[in-house]
Amino acid sequence: MLTYQEESLKVKPVSAEDLKKQERMRDVTLLLQQLVEREETSLKLIIDCLIDVGAINYANQKLHNPSLNKITKVLVGYVKPVARIIVLRWLKKNLPDLLTAWLESKVSFEPVPINKEEAFTGDLETVPITEEEAIALNQDSGTNMQDNNL
């Protein structure tokens, strides 16, 4: 016969408001997943534009030799289809969750922590990091946004 420790069976009571918020955020995630699937062509065009702009910026900042600069910009045209496929797969997998977490942080009026690793991989944890780290991350991102706006 299986026995369980009583401590592990304790369930935290969840209020009706919290359940409603969780349900609505799941709805947002599902709607964003549908949007990503439906607007695949728009995503491809956005990815192409970002690859072009990124290649130009990279070539101009890192390669000071004009002939090497031009060659790099031409080579990006050959790499773009592969990069588009990889980025599109990553976006389909991670964009709805990342965007939902970001939107939730905007409407919750309190810091919603996202580790830098989670932001990169798209694997969002439901258990937040400490509140101090969340506040520090939000302040860092706020100063980065202010720096980018200058």
Side-chain angles (χ1 to χ4, degrees), residues 56-93:
I56 292 168
N57 288 339
Y58 180 81
N60 289 340
Q61 289 181 1
K62 301 291 181 182
L63 304 172
H64 300 293
N65 185 348
S67 59
L68 212 67
N69 193 323
K70 289 180 184 178
I71 291 171
T72 303
K73 291 176 185 176
V74 170
L75 288 177
V76 167
Y78 295 110
V79 177
K80 191 190 298 187
V82 175
R84 183 188 315 129
I85 291 169
I86 293 169
V87 171
L88 189 61
R89 284 185 186 163
W90 188 90
L91 282 175
K92 283 183 177 182
K93 179 182 175 191

PDB file of all heavy atoms in Angstrom, residues 56-93:
ATOM      1  N   ILE A  56      23.913  44.421 -41.911  1.00  0.00           N
ATOM      2  CA  ILE A  56      24.514  45.717 -42.248  1.00  0.00           C
ATOM      3  C   ILE A  56      25.214  46.316 -41.037  1.00  0.00           C
ATOM      4  O   ILE A  56      26.367  46.775 -41.126  1.00  0.00           O
ATOM      5  CB  ILE A  56      23.438  46.678 -42.810  1.00  0.00           C
ATOM      6  CG1 ILE A  56      22.962  46.193 -44.165  1.00  0.00           C
ATOM      7  CG2 ILE A  56      23.966  48.106 -42.887  1.00  0.00           C
ATOM      8  CD1 ILE A  56      21.720  46.898 -44.681  1.00  0.00           C
ATOM      9  N   ASN A  57      24.544  46.316 -39.891  1.00  0.00           N
ATOM     10  CA  ASN A  57      25.148  46.870 -38.681  1.00  0.00           C
ATOM     11  C   ASN A  57      26.395  46.096 -38.274  1.00  0.00           C
ATOM     12  O   ASN A  57      27.406  46.686 -37.899  1.00  0.00           O
ATOM     13  CB  ASN A  57      24.145  46.887 -37.526  1.00  0.00           C
ATOM     14  CG  ASN A  57      23.074  47.930 -37.718  1.00  0.00           C
ATOM     15  OD1 ASN A  57      23.254  48.879 -38.471  1.00  0.00           O
ATOM     16  ND2 ASN A  57      21.951  47.744 -37.066  1.00  0.00           N
ATOM     17  N   TYR A  58      26.318  44.767 -38.339  1.00  0.00           N
ATOM     18  CA  TYR A  58      27.479  43.943 -37.956  1.00  0.00           C
ATOM     19  C   TYR A  58      28.655  44.212 -38.892  1.00  0.00           C
ATOM     20  O   TYR A  58      29.784  44.414 -38.439  1.00  0.00           O
ATOM     21  CB  TYR A  58      27.117  42.460 -37.993  1.00  0.00           C
ATOM     22  CG  TYR A  58      28.268  41.573 -37.598  1.00  0.00           C
ATOM     23  CD1 TYR A  58      28.562  41.363 -36.258  1.00  0.00           C
ATOM     24  CD2 TYR A  58      29.067  40.956 -38.549  1.00  0.00           C
ATOM     25  CE1 TYR A  58      29.620  40.568 -35.875  1.00  0.00           C
ATOM     26  CE2 TYR A  58      30.135  40.160 -38.181  1.00  0.00           C
ATOM     27  CZ  TYR A  58      30.405  39.964 -36.850  1.00  0.00           C
ATOM     28  OH  TYR A  58      31.462  39.185 -36.479  1.00  0.00           O
ATOM     29  N   ALA A  59      28.386  44.221 -40.197  1.00  0.00           N
ATOM     30  CA  ALA A  59      29.454  44.450 -41.164  1.00  0.00           C
ATOM     31  C   ALA A  59      30.076  45.831 -40.988  1.00  0.00           C
ATOM     32  O   ALA A  59      31.302  45.989 -41.059  1.00  0.00           O
ATOM     33  CB  ALA A  59      28.930  44.268 -42.582  1.00  0.00           C
ATOM     34  N   ASN A  60      29.268  46.833 -40.747  1.00  0.00           N
ATOM     35  CA  ASN A  60      29.795  48.193 -40.594  1.00  0.00           C
ATOM     36  C   ASN A  60      30.587  48.374 -39.304  1.00  0.00           C
ATOM     37  O   ASN A  60      31.567  49.120 -39.276  1.00  0.00           O
ATOM     38  CB  ASN A  60      28.659  49.206 -40.649  1.00  0.00           C
ATOM     39  CG  ASN A  60      28.075  49.329 -42.041  1.00  0.00           C
ATOM     40  OD1 ASN A  60      28.706  48.973 -43.027  1.00  0.00           O
ATOM     41  ND2 ASN A  60      26.849  49.815 -42.121  1.00  0.00           N
ATOM     42  N   GLN A  61      30.173  47.700 -38.227  1.00  0.00           N
ATOM     43  CA  GLN A  61      30.856  47.889 -36.952  1.00  0.00           C
ATOM     44  C   GLN A  61      32.077  46.999 -36.793  1.00  0.00           C
ATOM     45  O   GLN A  61      33.067  47.404 -36.190  1.00  0.00           O
ATOM     46  CB  GLN A  61      29.892  47.628 -35.794  1.00  0.00           C
ATOM     47  CG  GLN A  61      28.857  48.708 -35.643  1.00  0.00           C
ATOM     48  CD  GLN A  61      27.910  48.448 -34.477  1.00  0.00           C
ATOM     49  OE1 GLN A  61      28.044  47.463 -33.769  1.00  0.00           O
ATOM     50  NE2 GLN A  61      26.950  49.341 -34.297  1.00  0.00           N
ATOM     51  N   LYS A  62      32.038  45.774 -37.314  1.00  0.00           N
ATOM     52  CA  LYS A  62      33.109  44.810 -37.066  1.00  0.00           C
ATOM     53  C   LYS A  62      34.129  44.724 -38.190  1.00  0.00           C
ATOM     54  O   LYS A  62      35.274  44.370 -37.957  1.00  0.00           O
ATOM     55  CB  LYS A  62      32.522  43.405 -36.816  1.00  0.00           C
ATOM     56  CG  LYS A  62      31.572  43.341 -35.644  1.00  0.00           C
ATOM     57  CD  LYS A  62      32.291  43.536 -34.350  1.00  0.00           C
ATOM     58  CE  LYS A  62      31.312  43.430 -33.181  1.00  0.00           C
ATOM     59  NZ  LYS A  62      31.939  43.642 -31.910  1.00  0.00           N
ATOM     60  N   LEU A  63      33.719  45.008 -39.405  1.00  0.00           N
ATOM     61  CA  LEU A  63      34.609  44.852 -40.556  1.00  0.00           C
ATOM     62  C   LEU A  63      34.932  46.221 -41.140  1.00  0.00           C
ATOM     63  O   LEU A  63      34.081  46.868 -41.743  1.00  0.00           O
ATOM     64  CB  LEU A  63      33.951  43.955 -41.607  1.00  0.00           C
ATOM     65  CG  LEU A  63      33.512  42.577 -41.107  1.00  0.00           C
ATOM     66  CD1 LEU A  63      32.697  41.870 -42.168  1.00  0.00           C
ATOM     67  CD2 LEU A  63      34.705  41.751 -40.688  1.00  0.00           C
ATOM     68  N   HIS A  64      36.171  46.633 -40.984  1.00  0.00           N
ATOM     69  CA  HIS A  64      36.552  47.961 -41.442  1.00  0.00           C
ATOM     70  C   HIS A  64      37.124  47.935 -42.859  1.00  0.00           C
ATOM     71  O   HIS A  64      37.311  48.974 -43.473  1.00  0.00           O
ATOM     72  CB  HIS A  64      37.562  48.582 -40.472  1.00  0.00           C
ATOM     73  CG  HIS A  64      36.999  48.718 -39.082  1.00  0.00           C
ATOM     74  ND1 HIS A  64      35.962  49.573 -38.778  1.00  0.00           N
ATOM     75  CD2 HIS A  64      37.299  48.087 -37.922  1.00  0.00           C
ATOM     76  CE1 HIS A  64      35.662  49.479 -37.488  1.00  0.00           C
ATOM     77  NE2 HIS A  64      36.453  48.570 -36.951  1.00  0.00           N
ATOM     78  N   ASN A  65      37.398  46.755 -43.375  1.00  0.00           N
ATOM     79  CA  ASN A  65      37.880  46.602 -44.738  1.00  0.00           C
ATOM     80  C   ASN A  65      36.675  46.655 -45.688  1.00  0.00           C
ATOM     81  O   ASN A  65      35.784  45.819 -45.604  1.00  0.00           O
ATOM     82  CB  ASN A  65      38.612  45.259 -44.863  1.00  0.00           C
ATOM     83  CG  ASN A  65      39.253  45.073 -46.221  1.00  0.00           C
ATOM     84  OD1 ASN A  65      38.990  45.811 -47.152  1.00  0.00           O
ATOM     85  ND2 ASN A  65      40.101  44.064 -46.312  1.00  0.00           N
ATOM     86  N   PRO A  66      36.627  47.623 -46.612  1.00  0.00           N
ATOM     87  CA  PRO A  66      35.446  47.782 -47.477  1.00  0.00           C
ATOM     88  C   PRO A  66      35.126  46.547 -48.322  1.00  0.00           C
ATOM     89  O   PRO A  66      33.960  46.196 -48.500  1.00  0.00           O
ATOM     90  CB  PRO A  66      35.799  48.972 -48.370  1.00  0.00           C
ATOM     91  CG  PRO A  66      36.845  49.711 -47.635  1.00  0.00           C
ATOM     92  CD  PRO A  66      37.588  48.702 -46.823  1.00  0.00           C
ATOM     93  N   SER A  67      36.147  45.873 -48.851  1.00  0.00           N
ATOM     94  CA  SER A  67      35.853  44.701 -49.687  1.00  0.00           C
ATOM     95  C   SER A  67      35.298  43.551 -48.836  1.00  0.00           C
ATOM     96  O   SER A  67      34.389  42.842 -49.259  1.00  0.00           O
ATOM     97  CB  SER A  67      37.104  44.244 -50.439  1.00  0.00           C
ATOM     98  OG  SER A  67      38.133  43.924 -49.521  1.00  0.00           O
ATOM     99  N   LEU A  68      35.833  43.373 -47.625  1.00  0.00           N
ATOM    100  CA  LEU A  68      35.327  42.345 -46.723  1.00  0.00           C
ATOM    101  C   LEU A  68      33.897  42.676 -46.279  1.00  0.00           C
ATOM    102  O   LEU A  68      33.055  41.785 -46.133  1.00  0.00           O
ATOM    103  CB  LEU A  68      36.255  42.242 -45.505  1.00  0.00           C
ATOM    104  CG  LEU A  68      36.385  40.884 -44.870  1.00  0.00           C
ATOM    105  CD1 LEU A  68      37.081  39.936 -45.829  1.00  0.00           C
ATOM    106  CD2 LEU A  68      37.162  40.975 -43.582  1.00  0.00           C
ATOM    107  N   ASN A  69      33.654  43.953 -46.102  1.00  0.00           N
ATOM    108  CA  ASN A  69      32.337  44.433 -45.710  1.00  0.00           C
ATOM    109  C   ASN A  69      31.306  44.058 -46.776  1.00  0.00           C
ATOM    110  O   ASN A  69      30.242  43.524 -46.466  1.00  0.00           O
ATOM    111  CB  ASN A  69      32.411  45.953 -45.524  1.00  0.00           C
ATOM    112  CG  ASN A  69      31.202  46.526 -44.833  1.00  0.00           C
ATOM    113  OD1 ASN A  69      30.091  46.093 -45.050  1.00  0.00           O
ATOM    114  ND2 ASN A  69      31.436  47.533 -44.015  1.00  0.00           N
ATOM    115  N   LYS A  70      31.616  44.312 -48.050  1.00  0.00           N
ATOM    116  CA  LYS A  70      30.694  43.998 -49.143  1.00  0.00           C
ATOM    117  C   LYS A  70      30.484  42.489 -49.276  1.00  0.00           C
ATOM    118  O   LYS A  70      29.362  42.025 -49.506  1.00  0.00           O
ATOM    119  CB  LYS A  70      31.213  44.571 -50.455  1.00  0.00           C
ATOM    120  CG  LYS A  70      31.119  46.078 -50.521  1.00  0.00           C
ATOM    121  CD  LYS A  70      31.648  46.606 -51.829  1.00  0.00           C
ATOM    122  CE  LYS A  70      31.619  48.124 -51.827  1.00  0.00           C
ATOM    123  NZ  LYS A  70      32.163  48.689 -53.070  1.00  0.00           N
ATOM    124  N   ILE A  71      31.560  41.720 -49.124  1.00  0.00           N
ATOM    125  CA  ILE A  71      31.454  40.256 -49.231  1.00  0.00           C
ATOM    126  C   ILE A  71      30.535  39.715 -48.142  1.00  0.00           C
ATOM    127  O   ILE A  71      29.694  38.841 -48.392  1.00  0.00           O
ATOM    128  CB  ILE A  71      32.855  39.605 -49.151  1.00  0.00           C
ATOM    129  CG1 ILE A  71      33.646  39.947 -50.412  1.00  0.00           C
ATOM    130  CG2 ILE A  71      32.748  38.101 -48.969  1.00  0.00           C
ATOM    131  CD1 ILE A  71      35.105  39.547 -50.352  1.00  0.00           C
ATOM    132  N   THR A  72      30.675  40.240 -46.935  1.00  0.00           N
ATOM    133  CA  THR A  72      29.832  39.789 -45.827  1.00  0.00           C
ATOM    134  C   THR A  72      28.368  40.080 -46.105  1.00  0.00           C
ATOM    135  O   THR A  72      27.502  39.231 -45.855  1.00  0.00           O
ATOM    136  CB  THR A  72      30.271  40.470 -44.515  1.00  0.00           C
ATOM    137  OG1 THR A  72      31.642  40.185 -44.282  1.00  0.00           O
ATOM    138  CG2 THR A  72      29.432  39.990 -43.354  1.00  0.00           C
ATOM    139  N   LYS A  73      28.086  41.250 -46.620  1.00  0.00           N
ATOM    140  CA  LYS A  73      26.702  41.615 -46.920  1.00  0.00           C
ATOM    141  C   LYS A  73      26.114  40.716 -48.011  1.00  0.00           C
ATOM    142  O   LYS A  73      24.929  40.369 -47.963  1.00  0.00           O
ATOM    143  CB  LYS A  73      26.617  43.080 -47.324  1.00  0.00           C
ATOM    144  CG  LYS A  73      26.890  44.037 -46.169  1.00  0.00           C
ATOM    145  CD  LYS A  73      26.900  45.476 -46.615  1.00  0.00           C
ATOM    146  CE  LYS A  73      27.284  46.395 -45.468  1.00  0.00           C
ATOM    147  NZ  LYS A  73      27.383  47.792 -45.895  1.00  0.00           N
ATOM    148  N   VAL A  74      26.926  40.291 -48.977  1.00  0.00           N
ATOM    149  CA  VAL A  74      26.454  39.388 -50.024  1.00  0.00           C
ATOM    150  C   VAL A  74      26.228  37.986 -49.453  1.00  0.00           C
ATOM    151  O   VAL A  74      25.243  37.318 -49.771  1.00  0.00           O
ATOM    152  CB  VAL A  74      27.463  39.351 -51.198  1.00  0.00           C
ATOM    153  CG1 VAL A  74      27.123  38.242 -52.178  1.00  0.00           C
ATOM    154  CG2 VAL A  74      27.480  40.693 -51.901  1.00  0.00           C
ATOM    155  N   LEU A  75      27.137  37.531 -48.588  1.00  0.00           N
ATOM    156  CA  LEU A  75      27.017  36.193 -48.007  1.00  0.00           C
ATOM    157  C   LEU A  75      25.770  36.046 -47.139  1.00  0.00           C
ATOM    158  O   LEU A  75      25.224  34.954 -47.023  1.00  0.00           O
ATOM    159  CB  LEU A  75      28.268  35.848 -47.192  1.00  0.00           C
ATOM    160  CG  LEU A  75      29.535  35.568 -47.999  1.00  0.00           C
ATOM    161  CD1 LEU A  75      30.702  35.322 -47.071  1.00  0.00           C
ATOM    162  CD2 LEU A  75      29.323  34.396 -48.937  1.00  0.00           C
ATOM    163  N   VAL A  76      25.337  37.131 -46.546  1.00  0.00           N
ATOM    164  CA  VAL A  76      24.130  37.082 -45.711  1.00  0.00           C
ATOM    165  C   VAL A  76      22.926  36.658 -46.547  1.00  0.00           C
ATOM    166  O   VAL A  76      22.048  35.953 -46.062  1.00  0.00           O
ATOM    167  CB  VAL A  76      23.892  38.451 -45.031  1.00  0.00           C
ATOM    168  CG1 VAL A  76      22.507  38.528 -44.427  1.00  0.00           C
ATOM    169  CG2 VAL A  76      24.940  38.686 -43.977  1.00  0.00           C
ATOM    170  N   GLY A  77      22.911  37.018 -47.808  1.00  0.00           N
ATOM    171  CA  GLY A  77      21.828  36.611 -48.691  1.00  0.00           C
ATOM    172  C   GLY A  77      21.734  35.101 -48.837  1.00  0.00           C
ATOM    173  O   GLY A  77      20.656  34.549 -48.999  1.00  0.00           O
ATOM    174  N   TYR A  78      22.886  34.425 -48.776  1.00  0.00           N
ATOM    175  CA  TYR A  78      22.889  32.967 -48.881  1.00  0.00           C
ATOM    176  C   TYR A  78      22.513  32.298 -47.568  1.00  0.00           C
ATOM    177  O   TYR A  78      21.967  31.205 -47.556  1.00  0.00           O
ATOM    178  CB  TYR A  78      24.276  32.465 -49.324  1.00  0.00           C
ATOM    179  CG  TYR A  78      24.640  32.919 -50.716  1.00  0.00           C
ATOM    180  CD1 TYR A  78      25.646  33.861 -50.915  1.00  0.00           C
ATOM    181  CD2 TYR A  78      23.970  32.421 -51.823  1.00  0.00           C
ATOM    182  CE1 TYR A  78      25.984  34.280 -52.194  1.00  0.00           C
ATOM    183  CE2 TYR A  78      24.294  32.843 -53.098  1.00  0.00           C
ATOM    184  CZ  TYR A  78      25.299  33.769 -53.276  1.00  0.00           C
ATOM    185  OH  TYR A  78      25.621  34.188 -54.538  1.00  0.00           O
ATOM    186  N   VAL A  79      22.808  32.944 -46.459  1.00  0.00           N
ATOM    187  CA  VAL A  79      22.544  32.373 -45.143  1.00  0.00           C
ATOM    188  C   VAL A  79      21.113  32.679 -44.688  1.00  0.00           C
ATOM    189  O   VAL A  79      20.549  31.969 -43.861  1.00  0.00           O
ATOM    190  CB  VAL A  79      23.572  32.929 -44.126  1.00  0.00           C
ATOM    191  CG1 VAL A  79      23.299  32.416 -42.738  1.00  0.00           C
ATOM    192  CG2 VAL A  79      24.980  32.581 -44.561  1.00  0.00           C
ATOM    193  N   LYS A  80      20.520  33.700 -45.257  1.00  0.00           N
ATOM    194  CA  LYS A  80      19.204  34.166 -44.804  1.00  0.00           C
ATOM    195  C   LYS A  80      18.120  33.089 -44.803  1.00  0.00           C
ATOM    196  O   LYS A  80      17.373  32.980 -43.825  1.00  0.00           O
ATOM    197  CB  LYS A  80      18.753  35.368 -45.639  1.00  0.00           C
ATOM    198  CG  LYS A  80      17.537  36.049 -45.040  1.00  0.00           C
ATOM    199  CD  LYS A  80      16.912  37.093 -45.937  1.00  0.00           C
ATOM    200  CE  LYS A  80      17.822  38.218 -46.257  1.00  0.00           C
ATOM    201  NZ  LYS A  80      17.150  39.302 -46.987  1.00  0.00           N
ATOM    202  N   PRO A  81      17.968  32.251 -45.835  1.00  0.00           N
ATOM    203  CA  PRO A  81      16.896  31.243 -45.787  1.00  0.00           C
ATOM    204  C   PRO A  81      17.033  30.263 -44.618  1.00  0.00           C
ATOM    205  O   PRO A  81      16.041  29.920 -43.976  1.00  0.00           O
ATOM    206  CB  PRO A  81      17.032  30.506 -47.128  1.00  0.00           C
ATOM    207  CG  PRO A  81      17.729  31.471 -48.023  1.00  0.00           C
ATOM    208  CD  PRO A  81      18.628  32.265 -47.135  1.00  0.00           C
ATOM    209  N   VAL A  82      18.251  29.860 -44.329  1.00  0.00           N
ATOM    210  CA  VAL A  82      18.473  28.945 -43.202  1.00  0.00           C
ATOM    211  C   VAL A  82      18.196  29.665 -41.889  1.00  0.00           C
ATOM    212  O   VAL A  82      17.534  29.120 -40.997  1.00  0.00           O
ATOM    213  CB  VAL A  82      19.915  28.388 -43.233  1.00  0.00           C
ATOM    214  CG1 VAL A  82      20.188  27.546 -42.005  1.00  0.00           C
ATOM    215  CG2 VAL A  82      20.150  27.600 -44.505  1.00  0.00           C
ATOM    216  N   ALA A  83      18.698  30.881 -41.769  1.00  0.00           N
ATOM    217  CA  ALA A  83      18.479  31.658 -40.552  1.00  0.00           C
ATOM    218  C   ALA A  83      16.989  31.925 -40.348  1.00  0.00           C
ATOM    219  O   ALA A  83      16.490  31.866 -39.219  1.00  0.00           O
ATOM    220  CB  ALA A  83      19.247  32.976 -40.623  1.00  0.00           C
ATOM    221  N   ARG A  84      16.268  32.198 -41.436  1.00  0.00           N
ATOM    222  CA  ARG A  84      14.832  32.456 -41.339  1.00  0.00           C
ATOM    223  C   ARG A  84      14.099  31.236 -40.778  1.00  0.00           C
ATOM    224  O   ARG A  84      13.239  31.368 -39.909  1.00  0.00           O
ATOM    225  CB  ARG A  84      14.256  32.821 -42.696  1.00  0.00           C
ATOM    226  CG  ARG A  84      12.784  33.160 -42.626  1.00  0.00           C
ATOM    227  CD  ARG A  84      12.109  33.342 -43.976  1.00  0.00           C
ATOM    228  NE  ARG A  84      12.870  34.133 -44.907  1.00  0.00           N
ATOM    229  CZ  ARG A  84      13.149  33.731 -46.157  1.00  0.00           C
ATOM    230  NH1 ARG A  84      12.742  32.577 -46.598  1.00  0.00           N
ATOM    231  NH2 ARG A  84      13.821  34.516 -46.970  1.00  0.00           N
ATOM    232  N   ILE A  85      14.450  30.041 -41.236  1.00  0.00           N
ATOM    233  CA  ILE A  85      13.800  28.816 -40.759  1.00  0.00           C
ATOM    234  C   ILE A  85      14.074  28.605 -39.276  1.00  0.00           C
ATOM    235  O   ILE A  85      13.163  28.303 -38.498  1.00  0.00           O
ATOM    236  CB  ILE A  85      14.277  27.601 -41.582  1.00  0.00           C
ATOM    237  CG1 ILE A  85      13.741  27.704 -43.005  1.00  0.00           C
ATOM    238  CG2 ILE A  85      13.834  26.290 -40.940  1.00  0.00           C
ATOM    239  CD1 ILE A  85      14.353  26.698 -43.969  1.00  0.00           C
ATOM    240  N   ILE A  86      15.331  28.783 -38.886  1.00  0.00           N
ATOM    241  CA  ILE A  86      15.708  28.581 -37.482  1.00  0.00           C
ATOM    242  C   ILE A  86      15.009  29.591 -36.583  1.00  0.00           C
ATOM    243  O   ILE A  86      14.431  29.237 -35.544  1.00  0.00           O
ATOM    244  CB  ILE A  86      17.237  28.655 -37.316  1.00  0.00           C
ATOM    245  CG1 ILE A  86      17.885  27.470 -38.029  1.00  0.00           C
ATOM    246  CG2 ILE A  86      17.639  28.692 -35.847  1.00  0.00           C
ATOM    247  CD1 ILE A  86      19.385  27.571 -38.157  1.00  0.00           C
ATOM    248  N   VAL A  87      15.037  30.850 -36.974  1.00  0.00           N
ATOM    249  CA  VAL A  87      14.418  31.904 -36.161  1.00  0.00           C
ATOM    250  C   VAL A  87      12.899  31.725 -36.113  1.00  0.00           C
ATOM    251  O   VAL A  87      12.285  31.906 -35.056  1.00  0.00           O
ATOM    252  CB  VAL A  87      14.794  33.302 -36.701  1.00  0.00           C
ATOM    253  CG1 VAL A  87      14.005  34.393 -36.015  1.00  0.00           C
ATOM    254  CG2 VAL A  87      16.282  33.547 -36.541  1.00  0.00           C
ATOM    255  N   LEU A  88      12.292  31.334 -37.214  1.00  0.00           N
ATOM    256  CA  LEU A  88      10.844  31.144 -37.240  1.00  0.00           C
ATOM    257  C   LEU A  88      10.432  30.012 -36.303  1.00  0.00           C
ATOM    258  O   LEU A  88       9.451  30.145 -35.556  1.00  0.00           O
ATOM    259  CB  LEU A  88      10.372  30.865 -38.661  1.00  0.00           C
ATOM    260  CG  LEU A  88       8.865  30.868 -38.874  1.00  0.00           C
ATOM    261  CD1 LEU A  88       8.282  32.232 -38.543  1.00  0.00           C
ATOM    262  CD2 LEU A  88       8.543  30.502 -40.307  1.00  0.00           C
ATOM    263  N   ARG A  89      11.178  28.921 -36.302  1.00  0.00           N
ATOM    264  CA  ARG A  89      10.876  27.823 -35.372  1.00  0.00           C
ATOM    265  C   ARG A  89      11.007  28.291 -33.935  1.00  0.00           C
ATOM    266  O   ARG A  89      10.179  27.964 -33.088  1.00  0.00           O
ATOM    267  CB  ARG A  89      11.812  26.639 -35.618  1.00  0.00           C
ATOM    268  CG  ARG A  89      11.454  25.842 -36.823  1.00  0.00           C
ATOM    269  CD  ARG A  89      12.341  24.638 -36.938  1.00  0.00           C
ATOM    270  NE  ARG A  89      12.092  23.947 -38.190  1.00  0.00           N
ATOM    271  CZ  ARG A  89      12.909  23.071 -38.720  1.00  0.00           C
ATOM    272  NH1 ARG A  89      14.042  22.768 -38.124  1.00  0.00           N
ATOM    273  NH2 ARG A  89      12.616  22.482 -39.861  1.00  0.00           N
ATOM    274  N   TRP A  90      12.081  29.042 -33.643  1.00  0.00           N
ATOM    275  CA  TRP A  90      12.294  29.514 -32.287  1.00  0.00           C
ATOM    276  C   TRP A  90      11.163  30.456 -31.869  1.00  0.00           C
ATOM    277  O   TRP A  90      10.649  30.374 -30.758  1.00  0.00           O
ATOM    278  CB  TRP A  90      13.649  30.216 -32.173  1.00  0.00           C
ATOM    279  CG  TRP A  90      13.998  30.556 -30.776  1.00  0.00           C
ATOM    280  CD1 TRP A  90      14.677  29.792 -29.877  1.00  0.00           C
ATOM    281  CD2 TRP A  90      13.676  31.780 -30.087  1.00  0.00           C
ATOM    282  NE1 TRP A  90      14.794  30.448 -28.686  1.00  0.00           N
ATOM    283  CE2 TRP A  90      14.198  31.661 -28.782  1.00  0.00           C
ATOM    284  CE3 TRP A  90      13.017  32.946 -30.435  1.00  0.00           C
ATOM    285  CZ2 TRP A  90      14.057  32.682 -27.845  1.00  0.00           C
ATOM    286  CZ3 TRP A  90      12.885  33.941 -29.499  1.00  0.00           C
ATOM    287  CH2 TRP A  90      13.402  33.803 -28.212  1.00  0.00           C
ATOM    288  N   LEU A  91      10.765  31.329 -32.776  1.00  0.00           N
ATOM    289  CA  LEU A  91       9.682  32.272 -32.459  1.00  0.00           C
ATOM    290  C   LEU A  91       8.361  31.555 -32.234  1.00  0.00           C
ATOM    291  O   LEU A  91       7.621  31.892 -31.299  1.00  0.00           O
ATOM    292  CB  LEU A  91       9.525  33.295 -33.578  1.00  0.00           C
ATOM    293  CG  LEU A  91      10.539  34.431 -33.604  1.00  0.00           C
ATOM    294  CD1 LEU A  91      10.326  35.296 -34.833  1.00  0.00           C
ATOM    295  CD2 LEU A  91      10.468  35.259 -32.349  1.00  0.00           C
ATOM    296  N   LYS A  92       8.050  30.573 -33.057  1.00  0.00           N
ATOM    297  CA  LYS A  92       6.797  29.840 -32.873  1.00  0.00           C
ATOM    298  C   LYS A  92       6.764  29.135 -31.534  1.00  0.00           C
ATOM    299  O   LYS A  92       5.721  29.050 -30.893  1.00  0.00           O
ATOM    300  CB  LYS A  92       6.608  28.814 -33.993  1.00  0.00           C
ATOM    301  CG  LYS A  92       6.155  29.408 -35.295  1.00  0.00           C
ATOM    302  CD  LYS A  92       5.930  28.313 -36.312  1.00  0.00           C
ATOM    303  CE  LYS A  92       5.402  28.850 -37.603  1.00  0.00           C
ATOM    304  NZ  LYS A  92       5.143  27.774 -38.569  1.00  0.00           N
ATOM    305  N   LYS A  93       7.919  28.659 -31.108  1.00  0.00           N
ATOM    306  CA  LYS A  93       7.980  27.928 -29.845  1.00  0.00           C
ATOM    307  C   LYS A  93       7.961  28.867 -28.642  1.00  0.00           C
ATOM    308  O   LYS A  93       7.303  28.595 -27.644  1.00  0.00           O
ATOM    309  CB  LYS A  93       9.256  27.081 -29.817  1.00  0.00           C
ATOM    310  CG  LYS A  93       9.451  26.298 -28.544  1.00  0.00           C
ATOM    311  CD  LYS A  93      10.754  25.534 -28.583  1.00  0.00           C
ATOM    312  CE  LYS A  93      10.997  24.847 -27.249  1.00  0.00           C
ATOM    313  NZ  LYS A  93      12.345  24.312 -27.159  1.00  0.00           N
TER     314      LYS A  93
END
